[in-house]
Amino acid sequence: MLDINLIRENPEAARAGMRKRGMDPSPVDEAVRLDSRWREVLLEAEALKAERNKVSKEIGKMKDKEAREAKIAAMREVGDKIKALDEEIAKLEEDLHAVMSIIPNIPDERVPDGFTEEDNVEVRRWGEHPEGDFYKPHWELGPELGILDFERGVKLAGSRFYVLSGAGARLQRALIHFMLDLHTRQGYTEMYGPFIVRGEILYGAGQLPKFAENLYKDHEEDLYLLPTSEVSITGMHMDEIIEEADLPRFYTAYSPCFRREKMSAGRDVRGIKRGHQFDKVEMYKFCKPENSADELEKMVADAEETCRLLGIPYRLILKCAGDTSETAHISYDLEAWSAGCQEWLEISSISNVGAFQARRAKIRYRPENGGSVQPVHTLNGSGLGLPRTMIAILENNQQPDGTVIVPEALRPWMGGIEVLEKA
RNA sequence: GGAGAGGUCGCAUAGUCUGGCCUAGUGCGCACGCUUGGAAAGCGUGUAUACCGAAAGGUAUCGAGGGUUCAAAUCCCUCCCUCUCCGCCA
């Protein structure tokens, strides 16, 4: 959510941001209109409340019965007016809130123009593409090695589910281990929390109401399965005021992620690229506004280090305005090359969200110099999505004989397995 | 799942029965000042958040949301959470 003061003082900035994303900027005008009407009615209601508070206090001290009754009758009328105005205020607030929550974050000036993936800008590349005519896609390679079972996944839970077994399951666990240890070394604190969260937590992170249909929900309580641990980490400090001395805070967390993928029905159905359940290790930062730009670059470097240590060739993409998440000022994507599918796979998305989520989730900090509290900035980035990292490793590291070499970095957790081969 | 006790401005507590001097008291912590060679102690002052307003000031918030009333921390209803005991079960 943007700051209402910005909408008031510089609505053109918000409009320009929406245009840059290819959106119709009219919600900004609607917000300006609702806000000004809201203030008008609020002023009126508060004046009446001030009067009522004052007179009510007098009534408490009055001895004269008749005069007292007269005042009570008068205040009863004032009370009715207040009630009507309060209802109007509540309605205006609701409408304003609804409009404010569809106005996206303003893209950073470095964000390139454009509305589709085509307009994203490649920043840099690392690593060599494996060349050869023997590279198979993972959906063939995995079952052949006996580590990936699509049929049983479907039997258990339907399409877009799969089962990892033996060395496949172990490889994923090794990756989780490796990433958490790496991020800890990079300065992040490991967190483990609920994989099910309340609706208000999703709201604070900006997932609700917009993405309601993409979430799995408990059938009788206001609880949802996590679509990403970005949500739970944001919620970690919801409604808190953090002392400046306690910033920045860096967190890393492993969690499964659950998504109904309603919006991408029929897309990427093959293999493990897009499942309803996948694991992810997340990086997250809460910091002061003046540091978020630098922290973003550092987080990108942390994600790149993960790829390099695993030997995964990648390219770093700066997303164009139309392709940048609505909560973000600016987003980078890290894409891994997969030799079997012959395509770039998004394995990490790293964003500076600025105050956008913090404002919504009421996460603020108290400056040491005594200034007033203000929203912190938040950043989030995948420390790599596990399935796509698995794809890259399996496909790129395969040998002409159909075996797969385990990256050195993962060996400490592989129990002596250096090569994946048919059991 | 059953029974009970609770949730108050950083922390700890008073206030709730009996609605109005609650503009929420007190202690601790914290900040500043006085005192001191310096410190501790002591003394004094200050110490939530949001919104409206140029300001003065006003409004709201006592777990959340409704209700009663001229007036609600206080009375009523619903919900959330915590603790204790019982039952059941990883």
Side-chain angles (χ1 to χ4, degrees):
Chain A
M1 178 136 2
L2 292 180
D3 186 351
I4 187 65
N5 289 305
L6 176 86
I7 301 280
R8 236 171 247 165
E9 287 154 24
N10 188 6
E12 186 45 32
R15 282 192 210 103
M18 290 189 82
R19 275 189 230 108
K20 188 167 177 178
R21 288 174 183 272
M23 299 168 78
D24 167 19
S26 63
V28 175
D29 300 293
E30 178 69 357
V32 168
R33 193 186 66 75
L34 288 166
D35 175 59
S36 110
R37 175 67 187 149
W38 171 75
R39 281 188 291 169
E40 207 175 290
V41 182
L42 186 70
L43 201 70
E44 204 180 330
E46 289 195 346
L48 287 176
K49 284 178 185 174
E51 188 196 349
R52 183 177 65 180
N53 286 346
K54 185 166 140 271
V55 175
S56 288
K57 217 159 273 179
E58 287 166 16
I59 290 173
K61 292 174 189 148
M62 286 173 79
K63 298 283 182 258
D64 185 288
K65 201 150 196 184
E66 228 165 86
R68 185 185 158 96
E69 287 304 321
K71 288 276 193 192
I72 288 176
M75 283 309 105
R76 194 173 293 146
E77 259 175 58
V78 171
D80 289 343
K81 277 187 207 155
I82 290 174
K83 195 168 184 185
L85 290 173
D86 273 348
E87 274 164 23
E88 190 177 352
I89 289 167
K91 178 78 172 80
L92 285 164
E93 279 175 356
E94 194 185 312
D95 292 349
L96 180 59
H97 214 242
V99 175
M100 287 299 286
S101 61
I102 57 172
I103 299 175
N105 207 344
I106 298 173
D108 188 281
E109 54 190 18
R110 288 170 297 158
V111 172
D113 288 330
F115 306 128
T116 68
E117 286 181 15
E118 321 268 292
D119 300 310
N120 292 342
V121 173
E122 183 173 322
V123 179
R124 56 180 167 262
R125 284 188 189 206
W126 181 89
E128 299 294 319
H129 289 200
E131 296 294 345
D133 53 9
F134 59 88
Y135 289 101
K136 293 178 187 165
H138 66 282
W139 56 79
E140 287 174 19
L141 184 60
E144 280 173 21
L145 286 169
I147 59 173
L148 183 52
D149 184 338
F150 292 104
E151 286 79 8
R152 290 206 170 88
V154 170
K155 176 160 75 181
L156 288 166
S159 70
R160 289 191 190 280
F161 286 94
Y162 54 86
V163 170
L164 294 173
S165 65
R170 181 156 198 156
L171 182 69
Q172 174 161 289
R173 177 162 58 86
L175 277 164
I176 293 165
H177 238 120
F178 159 75
M179 289 181 196
L180 286 171
D181 285 0
L182 174 62
H183 296 324
T184 299
R185 238 180 296 136
Q186 288 167 337
Y188 299 81
T189 301
E190 183 176 347
M191 304 294 273
Y192 173 90
F195 299 152
I196 302 175
V197 295
R198 298 172 189 274
E200 66 195 72
I201 301 292
L202 286 144
Y203 181 82
Q207 290 277 337
L208 281 179
K210 195 168 193 279
F211 298 119
E213 64 168 19
N214 204 28
L215 300 168
Y216 287 99
K217 186 182 185 311
D218 181 279
H219 75 284
E220 53 182 15
E221 294 190 79
D222 185 33
L223 292 172
Y224 298 79
L225 294 182
L226 220 56
T228 159
S229 43
E230 170 196 333
V231 169
S232 55
I233 301 178
T234 304
M236 212 71 78
H237 289 298
M238 192 158 103
D239 292 320
E240 289 184 16
I241 297 175
I242 302 171
E243 297 301 326
E244 180 175 342
D246 294 329
L247 287 176
R249 306 195 72 97
F250 299 168
Y251 295 123
T252 183
Y254 152 79
S255 86
C257 305
F258 302 92
R259 300 181 183 178
R260 299 183 66 204
E261 298 293 353
K262 277 275 179 183
M263 281 159 332
S264 48
R267 201 175 353 139
D268 305 325
V269 284
R270 204 143 191 220
I272 64 173
K273 184 174 161 189
R274 189 185 294 272
H276 287 306
Q277 171 187 323
F278 65 97
D279 283 14
K280 182 156 63 69
V281 172
E282 184 82 359
M283 296 182 283
Y284 201 102
K285 296 182 176 184
F286 296 87
C287 71
K288 290 189 274 179
E290 61 267 33
N291 297 332
S292 67
D294 287 344
E295 294 297 353
L296 176 69
E297 301 306 319
K298 289 185 198 158
M299 191 182 270
V300 168
D302 291 337
E304 287 184 73
E305 186 179 1
T306 313
C307 283
R308 292 182 192 210
L309 288 171
L310 292 170
I312 297 173
Y314 67 82
R315 65 177 186 181
L316 182 69
I317 300 289
L318 177 57
K319 301 186 98 176
C320 74
D323 204 28
T324 297
S325 142
E326 289 187 16
T327 56
H329 274 310
I330 177 167
S331 290
Y332 288 104
D333 270 3
L334 215 52
E335 297 184 337
W337 176 255
S338 58
C341 320
Q342 289 284 304
E343 64 173 335
W344 291 102
L345 299 171
E346 180 197 321
I347 49 170
S348 179
S349 190
I350 301 138
S351 304
N352 181 1
V353 176
F356 201 81
Q357 281 173 326
R359 200 172 288 118
R360 201 158 159 143
K362 298 193 178 69
I363 305 167
R364 294 162 295 173
Y365 79 101
R366 195 189 309 281
E368 270 164 354
N369 64 19
S372 60
V373 296
Q374 55 174 312
V376 300
H377 277 199
T378 61
L379 302 96
N380 64 76
S382 340
L384 302 194
L386 270 298
R388 293 178 186 183
T389 305
M390 294 270 285
I391 293 174
I393 289 173
L394 292 176
E395 295 190 0
N396 295 341
N397 292 9
Q398 60 183 303
Q399 306 300 300
D401 64 358
T403 61
V404 173
I405 295 179
V406 175
E408 289 281 353
L410 299 179
R411 304 251 172 107
W413 298 283
M414 288 303 288
I417 302 173
E418 296 182 0
V419 177
L420 305 181
E421 48 202 346
K422 200 171 160 77

